[in-house]
Amino acid sequence: MTNEQLRIGLIGTGRIGKVHAANIAALPETTLTWVIDPYIAGAEAIAAERGARATADPAEAFASGDLDAVVIASPTSTHADLIERAIAAGIPVLCEKPIDLDIARVDKLAPVVEGSGVPFAVGFNRRFDRDFSLARERLIAGEVGDLEQLAIISRDPAPPTVENLRTTGGMFRDQTIHDFDMARYFAPDIVEVFATGSQLFDDGAKQTSDFDTAMVTMRTSTGVQISITNSRHSSIGYDQRIEIFGGEGMLEVGNAGTSLVSYSNATAVKTTTPYQHFFLERYAEAYLEELREFSRLVRGEESRCSTFADGRAALLLADAAELSAREGRVVRVDLDR
């Protein structure tokens, strides 16, 4: 691979697709050459804005000869098929999470991807957040001693639509899956999952038999305890925090605010602005860094990208949490099998 710009195709022109399109255009090492979506008007709009070509048919772009890689940001139900087709064409893939909602389909796809030698990455963008990455580096450096407890809090500002809930696989496979990957980022050898879920406020969750509130407790093979706290609403804004506790200290990553300015007077001290509203603001730089790392992977350079195995492990944990919450029991997992 030369140092010329990587020619990237984008599949999917929804909210996250637009983020990827902007980032591909923003990085000096990448250029957007194809935009692919059955909703051709959406593809044509982004293509016209970015100087790319538009098509409703992935096969046209895959056979064009001017694609070095593809970013899959289409609905989850399309991921596995598109991955398989891109890999068969020898085109490196960055796919949004999850790989698929069915672990059997993921397991069937695993040898195809892993045996191909074609670069592949899963879009767990939080690994590329500057502060989460720094906290992990400091943990590895031994600043807090051996890890004993990891606490992850992740609350969205508002519930998704009922239509979204019907297609995304439920809270654990849609929202919590990011937190499962974060848990493995700090403590990969998880062997035990216990989860509880509630329907406290969201009619959509009740209509789809999903949860709007959940807590997960996990344990590693060495006894490290991990907790994940989720909610589908948060009046304080996008709530994203991590606490890393060890025998010699603690590391904390707090929420990102909209301003560093605080105000104090006779009735309040250090009143500050709200937290950032949602993931598009909170993880804007992480998405950009993810694309940089994917570019390195495609060029054959050292990269921090999440692997197919990472995507599979996160889905296994999501499935275990779903089973645990439904049956009220601890579920053992083997993420390496």
Side-chain angles (χ1 to χ4, degrees), residues 220-285:
T220 71
S221 62
T222 58
V224 174
Q225 297 172 320
I226 302 165
S227 68
I228 297 172
T229 301
N230 286 152
S231 176
R232 289 288 202 183
H233 74 177
S234 172
S235 62
I236 64 173
Y238 195 38
D239 192 9
Q240 297 283 289
R241 291 174 279 155
I242 291 182
E243 178 184 285
I244 302 146
F245 180 82
E248 298 177 18
M250 181 172 67
L251 294 163
E252 295 178 275
V253 180
N255 282 315
T258 55
S259 172
L260 295 177
V261 177
S262 64
Y263 171 70
S264 301
N265 63 13
T267 60
V269 176
K270 291 192 177 299
T271 301
T272 62
T273 56
Y275 296 132
Q276 291 178 342
H277 175 65
F278 206 16
F279 74 96
L280 295 178
E281 298 90 351
R282 173 65 178 82
Y283 293 116
E285 287 299 319

Short mmCIF file of all heavy atoms in Angstrom, two decimals, residues 220-285:
data_model
loop_
_atom_site.label_atom_id
_atom_site.label_comp_id
_atom_site.label_asym_id
_atom_site.label_seq_id
_atom_site.Cartn_x
_atom_site.Cartn_y
_atom_site.Cartn_z
N THR A 220 -13.91 -11.58 36.44
CA THR A 220 -12.87 -12.17 35.59
C THR A 220 -12.38 -13.46 36.22
O THR A 220 -12.73 -13.81 37.35
CB THR A 220 -11.68 -11.21 35.42
OG1 THR A 220 -10.96 -11.12 36.66
CG2 THR A 220 -12.14 -9.82 35.00
N SER A 221 -11.52 -14.16 35.50
CA SER A 221 -10.98 -15.43 35.99
C SER A 221 -10.14 -15.25 37.25
O SER A 221 -9.97 -16.19 38.02
CB SER A 221 -10.15 -16.10 34.90
OG SER A 221 -9.04 -15.27 34.54
N THR A 222 -9.62 -14.04 37.45
CA THR A 222 -8.81 -13.78 38.65
C THR A 222 -9.61 -13.10 39.76
O THR A 222 -9.05 -12.73 40.79
CB THR A 222 -7.60 -12.89 38.29
OG1 THR A 222 -8.07 -11.66 37.71
CG2 THR A 222 -6.69 -13.60 37.31
N GLY A 223 -10.91 -12.92 39.56
CA GLY A 223 -11.76 -12.36 40.61
C GLY A 223 -12.00 -10.87 40.53
O GLY A 223 -12.68 -10.31 41.40
N VAL A 224 -11.47 -10.18 39.52
CA VAL A 224 -11.73 -8.75 39.36
C VAL A 224 -13.22 -8.55 39.14
O VAL A 224 -13.86 -9.26 38.35
CB VAL A 224 -10.93 -8.16 38.18
CG1 VAL A 224 -11.32 -6.70 37.94
CG2 VAL A 224 -9.44 -8.27 38.46
N GLN A 225 -13.79 -7.57 39.85
CA GLN A 225 -15.22 -7.29 39.75
C GLN A 225 -15.48 -6.11 38.81
O GLN A 225 -14.76 -5.10 38.86
CB GLN A 225 -15.79 -6.97 41.13
CG GLN A 225 -15.69 -8.13 42.11
CD GLN A 225 -16.09 -7.71 43.51
OE1 GLN A 225 -15.77 -6.63 43.96
NE2 GLN A 225 -16.81 -8.58 44.19
N ILE A 226 -16.48 -6.25 37.98
CA ILE A 226 -16.83 -5.22 37.00
C ILE A 226 -18.31 -4.93 37.10
O ILE A 226 -19.13 -5.86 37.15
CB ILE A 226 -16.51 -5.69 35.56
CG1 ILE A 226 -15.03 -6.07 35.43
CG2 ILE A 226 -16.88 -4.62 34.54
CD1 ILE A 226 -14.70 -6.86 34.18
N SER A 227 -18.67 -3.66 37.15
CA SER A 227 -20.09 -3.29 37.14
C SER A 227 -20.37 -2.33 35.99
O SER A 227 -19.54 -1.48 35.65
CB SER A 227 -20.49 -2.64 38.47
OG SER A 227 -19.88 -1.37 38.62
N ILE A 228 -21.54 -2.49 35.38
CA ILE A 228 -22.01 -1.61 34.32
C ILE A 228 -23.39 -1.11 34.72
O ILE A 228 -24.28 -1.91 35.05
CB ILE A 228 -22.09 -2.33 32.97
CG1 ILE A 228 -20.70 -2.80 32.51
CG2 ILE A 228 -22.72 -1.43 31.91
CD1 ILE A 228 -20.73 -3.68 31.27
N THR A 229 -23.58 0.20 34.70
CA THR A 229 -24.87 0.82 35.01
C THR A 229 -25.38 1.53 33.76
O THR A 229 -24.68 2.39 33.22
CB THR A 229 -24.74 1.84 36.16
OG1 THR A 229 -24.24 1.17 37.32
CG2 THR A 229 -26.08 2.48 36.48
N ASN A 230 -26.56 1.16 33.30
CA ASN A 230 -27.15 1.73 32.08
C ASN A 230 -28.52 2.32 32.35
O ASN A 230 -29.28 1.80 33.17
CB ASN A 230 -27.32 0.67 30.99
CG ASN A 230 -26.04 0.26 30.33
OD1 ASN A 230 -25.94 -0.87 29.86
ND2 ASN A 230 -25.05 1.11 30.27
N SER A 231 -28.84 3.37 31.61
CA SER A 231 -30.21 3.88 31.56
C SER A 231 -30.45 4.45 30.18
O SER A 231 -29.53 4.96 29.54
CB SER A 231 -30.45 4.96 32.63
OG SER A 231 -31.76 5.50 32.49
N ARG A 232 -31.70 4.37 29.74
CA ARG A 232 -32.09 4.94 28.46
C ARG A 232 -32.46 6.42 28.57
O ARG A 232 -32.83 7.02 27.56
CB ARG A 232 -33.27 4.16 27.87
CG ARG A 232 -32.95 2.76 27.39
CD ARG A 232 -32.14 2.76 26.13
NE ARG A 232 -32.27 1.47 25.41
CZ ARG A 232 -31.63 1.18 24.30
NH1 ARG A 232 -30.80 2.05 23.76
NH2 ARG A 232 -31.80 0.01 23.70
N HIS A 233 -32.40 6.99 29.78
CA HIS A 233 -32.60 8.44 29.86
C HIS A 233 -31.72 9.02 30.96
O HIS A 233 -31.33 8.34 31.90
CB HIS A 233 -34.08 8.82 30.07
CG HIS A 233 -34.62 8.56 31.44
ND1 HIS A 233 -35.91 8.90 31.80
CD2 HIS A 233 -34.09 8.00 32.56
CE1 HIS A 233 -36.13 8.57 33.06
NE2 HIS A 233 -35.05 8.02 33.53
N SER A 234 -31.39 10.30 30.79
CA SER A 234 -30.54 10.99 31.75
C SER A 234 -30.81 12.49 31.65
O SER A 234 -30.46 13.12 30.65
CB SER A 234 -29.05 10.71 31.49
OG SER A 234 -28.23 11.51 32.30
N SER A 235 -31.43 13.05 32.66
CA SER A 235 -31.78 14.48 32.63
C SER A 235 -30.55 15.37 32.71
O SER A 235 -30.62 16.56 32.39
CB SER A 235 -32.73 14.81 33.78
OG SER A 235 -32.10 14.56 35.03
N ILE A 236 -29.40 14.81 33.10
CA ILE A 236 -28.18 15.62 33.23
C ILE A 236 -27.35 15.62 31.94
O ILE A 236 -26.31 16.25 31.88
CB ILE A 236 -27.31 15.14 34.40
CG1 ILE A 236 -26.80 13.70 34.15
CG2 ILE A 236 -28.07 15.23 35.71
CD1 ILE A 236 -25.79 13.22 35.19
N GLY A 237 -27.83 14.90 30.90
CA GLY A 237 -27.07 14.82 29.66
C GLY A 237 -26.44 13.45 29.49
O GLY A 237 -26.73 12.52 30.23
N TYR A 238 -25.57 13.33 28.53
CA TYR A 238 -24.92 12.06 28.20
C TYR A 238 -23.95 11.71 29.32
O TYR A 238 -22.93 12.37 29.52
CB TYR A 238 -24.21 12.20 26.87
CG TYR A 238 -23.79 10.91 26.22
CD1 TYR A 238 -24.58 9.77 26.26
CD2 TYR A 238 -22.60 10.85 25.50
CE1 TYR A 238 -24.20 8.60 25.63
CE2 TYR A 238 -22.22 9.68 24.86
CZ TYR A 238 -23.01 8.57 24.93
OH TYR A 238 -22.63 7.40 24.31
N ASP A 239 -24.26 10.65 30.05
CA ASP A 239 -23.52 10.30 31.27
C ASP A 239 -22.55 9.16 30.96
O ASP A 239 -22.96 8.01 30.78
CB ASP A 239 -24.52 9.89 32.34
CG ASP A 239 -23.90 9.79 33.73
OD1 ASP A 239 -22.73 10.19 33.89
OD2 ASP A 239 -24.59 9.32 34.65
N GLN A 240 -21.25 9.48 30.90
CA GLN A 240 -20.23 8.52 30.50
C GLN A 240 -19.05 8.60 31.48
O GLN A 240 -18.22 9.48 31.38
CB GLN A 240 -19.74 8.82 29.09
CG GLN A 240 -20.81 8.71 28.02
CD GLN A 240 -21.11 7.28 27.66
OE1 GLN A 240 -20.30 6.60 27.03
NE2 GLN A 240 -22.28 6.79 28.05
N ARG A 241 -18.99 7.66 32.41
CA ARG A 241 -17.95 7.69 33.43
C ARG A 241 -17.34 6.31 33.64
O ARG A 241 -18.00 5.30 33.45
CB ARG A 241 -18.53 8.19 34.76
CG ARG A 241 -18.93 9.66 34.75
CD ARG A 241 -19.63 10.04 36.04
NE ARG A 241 -21.04 9.64 36.04
CZ ARG A 241 -21.75 9.40 37.14
NH1 ARG A 241 -21.17 9.45 38.33
NH2 ARG A 241 -23.02 9.07 37.05
N ILE A 242 -16.08 6.29 34.05
CA ILE A 242 -15.40 5.05 34.37
C ILE A 242 -14.56 5.26 35.63
O ILE A 242 -13.91 6.30 35.79
CB ILE A 242 -14.49 4.58 33.21
CG1 ILE A 242 -15.34 4.11 32.02
CG2 ILE A 242 -13.57 3.44 33.66
CD1 ILE A 242 -14.53 3.59 30.85
N GLU A 243 -14.59 4.27 36.51
CA GLU A 243 -13.75 4.28 37.72
C GLU A 243 -12.93 3.00 37.73
O GLU A 243 -13.47 1.90 37.58
CB GLU A 243 -14.64 4.35 38.96
CG GLU A 243 -13.87 4.30 40.27
CD GLU A 243 -14.80 4.27 41.48
OE1 GLU A 243 -15.38 5.32 41.80
OE2 GLU A 243 -14.97 3.17 42.06
N ILE A 244 -11.62 3.16 37.88
CA ILE A 244 -10.67 2.05 37.85
C ILE A 244 -9.99 2.00 39.22
O ILE A 244 -9.20 2.88 39.57
CB ILE A 244 -9.64 2.25 36.74
CG1 ILE A 244 -10.34 2.39 35.39
CG2 ILE A 244 -8.64 1.11 36.71
CD1 ILE A 244 -9.64 3.32 34.44
N PHE A 245 -10.32 0.99 40.01
CA PHE A 245 -9.87 0.92 41.40
C PHE A 245 -8.88 -0.22 41.58
O PHE A 245 -9.13 -1.36 41.18
CB PHE A 245 -11.07 0.71 42.32
CG PHE A 245 -10.72 0.64 43.77
CD1 PHE A 245 -10.52 1.79 44.52
CD2 PHE A 245 -10.57 -0.59 44.40
CE1 PHE A 245 -10.20 1.71 45.87
CE2 PHE A 245 -10.24 -0.68 45.74
CZ PHE A 245 -10.05 0.48 46.48
N GLY A 246 -7.73 0.10 42.19
CA GLY A 246 -6.72 -0.90 42.47
C GLY A 246 -6.20 -0.78 43.89
O GLY A 246 -6.60 0.12 44.64
N GLY A 247 -5.28 -1.65 44.24
CA GLY A 247 -4.76 -1.68 45.60
C GLY A 247 -3.94 -0.47 45.99
O GLY A 247 -3.74 -0.21 47.18
N GLU A 248 -3.47 0.29 44.99
CA GLU A 248 -2.61 1.43 45.29
C GLU A 248 -3.20 2.77 44.84
O GLU A 248 -2.52 3.79 44.87
CB GLU A 248 -1.24 1.22 44.63
CG GLU A 248 -0.51 0.00 45.16
CD GLU A 248 0.81 -0.24 44.43
OE1 GLU A 248 1.30 0.70 43.78
OE2 GLU A 248 1.32 -1.37 44.50
N GLY A 249 -4.46 2.76 44.42
CA GLY A 249 -5.06 4.02 44.01
C GLY A 249 -6.25 3.82 43.10
O GLY A 249 -6.72 2.70 42.88
N MET A 250 -6.72 4.93 42.56
CA MET A 250 -7.91 4.89 41.71
C MET A 250 -7.77 5.91 40.58
O MET A 250 -7.27 7.02 40.76
CB MET A 250 -9.16 5.21 42.54
CG MET A 250 -10.46 5.17 41.77
SD MET A 250 -11.91 5.32 42.85
CE MET A 250 -11.71 7.02 43.43
N LEU A 251 -8.23 5.52 39.39
CA LEU A 251 -8.32 6.41 38.24
C LEU A 251 -9.79 6.63 37.91
O LEU A 251 -10.59 5.69 37.97
CB LEU A 251 -7.62 5.80 37.03
CG LEU A 251 -6.10 5.63 37.12
CD1 LEU A 251 -5.63 4.64 36.03
CD2 LEU A 251 -5.41 6.96 36.96
N GLU A 252 -10.15 7.86 37.58
CA GLU A 252 -11.52 8.17 37.22
C GLU A 252 -11.54 8.99 35.92
O GLU A 252 -10.72 9.88 35.73
CB GLU A 252 -12.21 8.99 38.31
CG GLU A 252 -12.40 8.26 39.62
CD GLU A 252 -13.05 9.15 40.68
OE1 GLU A 252 -12.31 9.89 41.35
OE2 GLU A 252 -14.29 9.11 40.80
N VAL A 253 -12.48 8.66 35.06
CA VAL A 253 -12.76 9.47 33.88
C VAL A 253 -14.17 10.00 34.03
O VAL A 253 -15.12 9.22 34.14
CB VAL A 253 -12.63 8.66 32.58
CG1 VAL A 253 -12.93 9.55 31.37
CG2 VAL A 253 -11.24 8.05 32.46
N GLY A 254 -14.31 11.31 34.06
CA GLY A 254 -15.61 11.93 34.29
C GLY A 254 -16.30 12.32 33.00
O GLY A 254 -15.81 12.07 31.89
N ASN A 255 -17.44 12.96 33.14
CA ASN A 255 -18.22 13.42 32.00
C ASN A 255 -17.57 14.62 31.34
O ASN A 255 -16.87 15.40 31.97
CB ASN A 255 -19.64 13.78 32.44
CG ASN A 255 -20.51 12.57 32.63
OD1 ASN A 255 -20.51 11.67 31.81
ND2 ASN A 255 -21.26 12.54 33.73
N ALA A 256 -17.85 14.77 30.05
CA ALA A 256 -17.36 15.92 29.30
C ALA A 256 -18.44 17.00 29.31
O ALA A 256 -19.59 16.75 28.95
CB ALA A 256 -17.04 15.52 27.87
N GLY A 257 -18.07 18.21 29.71
CA GLY A 257 -19.01 19.32 29.74
C GLY A 257 -18.97 20.12 28.45
O GLY A 257 -18.11 19.93 27.60
N THR A 258 -19.93 21.02 28.31
CA THR A 258 -19.98 21.85 27.12
C THR A 258 -19.11 23.09 27.26
O THR A 258 -18.90 23.82 26.28
CB THR A 258 -21.43 22.28 26.83
OG1 THR A 258 -21.97 22.91 28.01
CG2 THR A 258 -22.29 21.07 26.49
N SER A 259 -18.61 23.36 28.45
CA SER A 259 -17.73 24.51 28.68
C SER A 259 -16.90 24.26 29.92
O SER A 259 -17.31 23.52 30.82
CB SER A 259 -18.57 25.79 28.86
OG SER A 259 -17.75 26.86 29.26
N LEU A 260 -15.73 24.89 30.00
CA LEU A 260 -14.88 24.80 31.19
C LEU A 260 -15.14 25.95 32.16
O LEU A 260 -14.53 26.02 33.22
CB LEU A 260 -13.40 24.81 30.78
CG LEU A 260 -12.94 23.61 29.95
CD1 LEU A 260 -11.47 23.79 29.54
CD2 LEU A 260 -13.12 22.32 30.74
N VAL A 261 -16.06 26.84 31.81
CA VAL A 261 -16.36 28.00 32.65
C VAL A 261 -17.30 27.59 33.78
O VAL A 261 -18.31 26.93 33.55
CB VAL A 261 -17.01 29.12 31.82
CG1 VAL A 261 -17.39 30.29 32.71
CG2 VAL A 261 -16.06 29.57 30.73
N SER A 262 -16.98 27.98 35.00
CA SER A 262 -17.87 27.77 36.14
C SER A 262 -18.19 29.11 36.80
O SER A 262 -17.48 30.10 36.60
CB SER A 262 -17.23 26.83 37.17
OG SER A 262 -16.06 27.40 37.71
N TYR A 263 -19.27 29.13 37.57
CA TYR A 263 -19.74 30.38 38.19
C TYR A 263 -20.02 30.13 39.66
O TYR A 263 -20.64 29.13 40.04
CB TYR A 263 -21.00 30.86 37.47
CG TYR A 263 -21.69 32.02 38.15
CD1 TYR A 263 -21.11 33.29 38.16
CD2 TYR A 263 -22.92 31.85 38.77
CE1 TYR A 263 -21.73 34.36 38.78
CE2 TYR A 263 -23.55 32.92 39.40
CZ TYR A 263 -22.96 34.16 39.40
OH TYR A 263 -23.58 35.22 40.03
N SER A 264 -19.58 31.04 40.49
CA SER A 264 -19.83 30.96 41.93
C SER A 264 -20.43 32.26 42.42
O SER A 264 -20.08 33.35 41.94
CB SER A 264 -18.53 30.68 42.69
OG SER A 264 -17.93 29.47 42.27
N ASN A 265 -21.35 32.16 43.38
CA ASN A 265 -21.90 33.36 44.03
C ASN A 265 -22.28 33.02 45.47
O ASN A 265 -21.83 32.00 46.00
CB ASN A 265 -23.08 33.93 43.24
CG ASN A 265 -24.25 32.96 43.15
OD1 ASN A 265 -24.30 31.97 43.87
ND2 ASN A 265 -25.20 33.27 42.27
N ALA A 266 -23.13 33.82 46.08
CA ALA A 266 -23.46 33.63 47.49
C ALA A 266 -24.30 32.39 47.74
O ALA A 266 -24.36 31.89 48.88
CB ALA A 266 -24.19 34.86 48.01
N THR A 267 -24.97 31.86 46.74
CA THR A 267 -25.86 30.72 46.94
C THR A 267 -25.39 29.43 46.28
O THR A 267 -25.96 28.37 46.52
CB THR A 267 -27.27 31.04 46.41
OG1 THR A 267 -27.18 31.33 45.00
CG2 THR A 267 -27.86 32.25 47.14
N ALA A 268 -24.36 29.51 45.44
CA ALA A 268 -23.87 28.31 44.76
C ALA A 268 -22.39 28.49 44.43
O ALA A 268 -21.94 29.60 44.18
CB ALA A 268 -24.65 28.04 43.49
N VAL A 269 -21.66 27.39 44.45
CA VAL A 269 -20.23 27.43 44.17
C VAL A 269 -19.94 26.52 42.97
O VAL A 269 -20.41 25.39 42.89
CB VAL A 269 -19.42 26.96 45.39
CG1 VAL A 269 -17.93 26.91 45.05
CG2 VAL A 269 -19.67 27.88 46.57
N LYS A 270 -19.17 27.08 42.03
CA LYS A 270 -18.72 26.35 40.84
C LYS A 270 -19.89 25.73 40.06
O LYS A 270 -19.90 24.55 39.71
CB LYS A 270 -17.69 25.28 41.20
CG LYS A 270 -16.36 25.88 41.65
CD LYS A 270 -15.29 24.83 41.72
CE LYS A 270 -13.95 25.44 42.09
NZ LYS A 270 -13.48 26.43 41.10
N THR A 271 -20.90 26.54 39.79
CA THR A 271 -21.97 26.13 38.90
C THR A 271 -21.43 26.07 37.48
O THR A 271 -20.82 27.02 37.00
CB THR A 271 -23.14 27.12 38.97
OG1 THR A 271 -23.61 27.20 40.32
CG2 THR A 271 -24.29 26.68 38.07
N THR A 272 -21.64 24.95 36.80
CA THR A 272 -21.07 24.78 35.48
C THR A 272 -22.16 24.52 34.44
O THR A 272 -23.34 24.36 34.77
CB THR A 272 -20.08 23.60 35.46
OG1 THR A 272 -20.77 22.39 35.79
CG2 THR A 272 -18.96 23.82 36.47
N THR A 273 -21.75 24.47 33.19
CA THR A 273 -22.66 24.22 32.08
C THR A 273 -23.01 22.73 32.00
O THR A 273 -22.35 21.89 32.61
CB THR A 273 -22.02 24.66 30.76
OG1 THR A 273 -20.77 23.99 30.61
CG2 THR A 273 -21.80 26.17 30.75
N PRO A 274 -24.05 22.37 31.24
CA PRO A 274 -24.46 20.96 31.15
C PRO A 274 -23.38 20.08 30.51
O PRO A 274 -22.45 20.57 29.86
CB PRO A 274 -25.71 21.01 30.27
CG PRO A 274 -26.19 22.41 30.35
CD PRO A 274 -24.96 23.25 30.51
N TYR A 275 -23.56 18.76 30.70
CA TYR A 275 -22.71 17.80 30.01
C TYR A 275 -23.06 17.80 28.52
O TYR A 275 -24.13 18.25 28.12
CB TYR A 275 -22.89 16.39 30.58
CG TYR A 275 -22.47 16.26 32.02
CD1 TYR A 275 -23.29 15.64 32.95
CD2 TYR A 275 -21.24 16.75 32.43
CE1 TYR A 275 -22.89 15.51 34.27
CE2 TYR A 275 -20.84 16.64 33.76
CZ TYR A 275 -21.68 16.02 34.68
OH TYR A 275 -21.29 15.90 35.98
N GLN A 276 -22.16 17.28 27.72
CA GLN A 276 -22.45 17.15 26.30
C GLN A 276 -23.69 16.28 26.10
O GLN A 276 -23.96 15.37 26.88
CB GLN A 276 -21.24 16.57 25.57
CG GLN A 276 -20.06 17.53 25.54
CD GLN A 276 -18.84 16.95 24.86
OE1 GLN A 276 -18.72 15.74 24.69
NE2 GLN A 276 -17.92 17.81 24.47
N HIS A 277 -24.42 16.56 24.99
CA HIS A 277 -25.76 16.00 24.86
C HIS A 277 -25.78 14.52 24.51
O HIS A 277 -26.57 13.75 25.07
CB HIS A 277 -26.56 16.78 23.81
CG HIS A 277 -27.91 16.20 23.53
ND1 HIS A 277 -28.90 16.16 24.49
CD2 HIS A 277 -28.43 15.60 22.42
CE1 HIS A 277 -29.98 15.57 23.99
NE2 HIS A 277 -29.72 15.22 22.73
N PHE A 278 -24.93 14.09 23.56
CA PHE A 278 -25.04 12.70 23.11
C PHE A 278 -23.72 12.25 22.51
O PHE A 278 -22.73 12.97 22.50
CB PHE A 278 -26.19 12.56 22.10
CG PHE A 278 -26.79 11.18 22.03
CD1 PHE A 278 -26.57 10.22 23.01
CD2 PHE A 278 -27.59 10.82 20.96
CE1 PHE A 278 -27.13 8.95 22.95
CE2 PHE A 278 -28.15 9.55 20.87
CZ PHE A 278 -27.92 8.63 21.87
N PHE A 279 -23.70 11.04 21.97
CA PHE A 279 -22.44 10.42 21.54
C PHE A 279 -21.78 11.16 20.39
O PHE A 279 -20.55 11.12 20.25
CB PHE A 279 -22.67 8.95 21.17
CG PHE A 279 -23.37 8.70 19.87
CD1 PHE A 279 -22.66 8.44 18.71
CD2 PHE A 279 -24.76 8.72 19.80
CE1 PHE A 279 -23.29 8.20 17.52
CE2 PHE A 279 -25.41 8.47 18.60
CZ PHE A 279 -24.67 8.22 17.45
N LEU A 280 -22.56 11.83 19.53
CA LEU A 280 -21.96 12.54 18.41
C LEU A 280 -21.02 13.62 18.87
O LEU A 280 -19.98 13.88 18.25
CB LEU A 280 -23.05 13.12 17.52
CG LEU A 280 -23.95 12.11 16.80
CD1 LEU A 280 -25.02 12.83 16.00
CD2 LEU A 280 -23.13 11.20 15.89
N GLU A 281 -21.37 14.29 19.98
CA GLU A 281 -20.48 15.32 20.54
C GLU A 281 -19.39 14.68 21.40
O GLU A 281 -18.21 15.01 21.27
CB GLU A 281 -21.28 16.32 21.39
CG GLU A 281 -22.34 17.10 20.62
CD GLU A 281 -23.68 16.40 20.61
OE1 GLU A 281 -23.79 15.23 21.05
OE2 GLU A 281 -24.64 17.03 20.13
N ARG A 282 -19.80 13.77 22.28
CA ARG A 282 -18.87 13.20 23.26
C ARG A 282 -17.73 12.43 22.59
O ARG A 282 -16.58 12.48 23.03
CB ARG A 282 -19.63 12.28 24.22
CG ARG A 282 -18.77 11.49 25.20
CD ARG A 282 -18.06 12.39 26.17
NE ARG A 282 -17.28 11.63 27.12
CZ ARG A 282 -16.07 11.14 26.89
NH1 ARG A 282 -15.51 11.33 25.70
NH2 ARG A 282 -15.42 10.47 27.81
N TYR A 283 -18.04 11.73 21.51
CA TYR A 283 -17.04 10.86 20.90
C TYR A 283 -16.63 11.31 19.50
O TYR A 283 -16.14 10.49 18.69
CB TYR A 283 -17.55 9.41 20.88
CG TYR A 283 -17.67 8.83 22.26
CD1 TYR A 283 -18.91 8.47 22.78
CD2 TYR A 283 -16.56 8.69 23.08
CE1 TYR A 283 -19.03 7.96 24.07
CE2 TYR A 283 -16.66 8.18 24.36
CZ TYR A 283 -17.91 7.82 24.85
OH TYR A 283 -18.01 7.32 26.13
N ALA A 284 -16.79 12.59 19.20
CA ALA A 284 -16.43 13.10 17.87
C ALA A 284 -14.96 12.82 17.55
O ALA A 284 -14.62 12.33 16.47
CB ALA A 284 -16.73 14.60 17.79
N GLU A 285 -14.07 13.14 18.47
CA GLU A 285 -12.64 12.90 18.24
C GLU A 285 -12.32 11.41 18.21
O GLU A 285 -11.42 10.98 17.48
CB GLU A 285 -11.82 13.60 19.31
CG GLU A 285 -11.76 15.11 19.17
CD GLU A 285 -11.12 15.54 17.85
OE1 GLU A 285 -10.12 14.91 17.45
OE2 GLU A 285 -11.63 16.48 17.22
#
